[in-house]
Amino acid sequence: MSLIDDAMEPCVLLDKKSEPDGEGGFISSWAEGAEFKAALAFNTSLEARVAQKQGVTSLYTVTTRKSVKLDYHDIFRRISDGKIFRVTSDSD
C-alpha cells in the first residue's frame, strides 16, 4: 500500500437532473452517481496563491486511480464531510 492509497477518501459523483415544472420551466436536482476514491490536497503553490489573489476561492489537487476519469466541470462530493468540488481542469 502506498501513501496515496492511504490518503484516498470515498467520494461520489453528482449528476444534475432537470425535470419540467409544468409551467414551461424546469426544476434542477442533484442525484448521487458513481462512487470512487480520491486523494485531495490543498494546493499551496505559487500559481495557486496568484490565482487566489485574482479571486479563486480555493484550489485542490485531486488524485484518483487511472480507471477514474473526471471530466471538466464534473461535480463530486467528499463523503466524509459533504464538501462539494467542481473539476476545473482536464484530467489528462
Side-chain angles (χ1 to χ4, degrees):
M1 199 162 279
S2 71
L3 289 174
I4 291 181
D5 288 333
D6 290 343
M8 288 200 172
E9 303 178 66
C11 297
V12 63
L13 281 171
L14 297 177
D15 299 319
K16 186 175 183 179
K17 301 199 180 228
S18 299
E19 298 177 2
D21 65 0
E23 298 178 3
F26 62 90
I27 298 172
S28 297
S29 63
W30 295 92
E32 290 188 358
E35 288 190 19
F36 63 97
K37 288 196 168 210
L40 294 103
F42 187 69
N43 190 345
T44 58
S45 68
L46 179 59
E47 293 86 5
R49 287 184 284 192
V50 169
Q52 282 181 317
K53 289 188 180 199
Q54 294 174 347
V56 176
T57 56
S58 59
L59 294 170
Y60 286 83
T61 299
V62 179
T63 305
T64 63
R65 299 203 180 282
K66 289 183 180 182
S67 61
V68 176
K69 292 290 185 185
L70 295 175
D71 294 324
Y72 189 73
H73 277 285
D74 275 351
I75 297 175
F76 67 93
R77 180 172 52 84
R78 184 168 48 196
I79 293 176
S80 63
D81 61 359
K83 185 170 178 78
I84 295 175
F85 299 88
R86 178 185 299 266
V87 178
T88 57
S89 63
D90 293 325
S91 62
D92 295 338

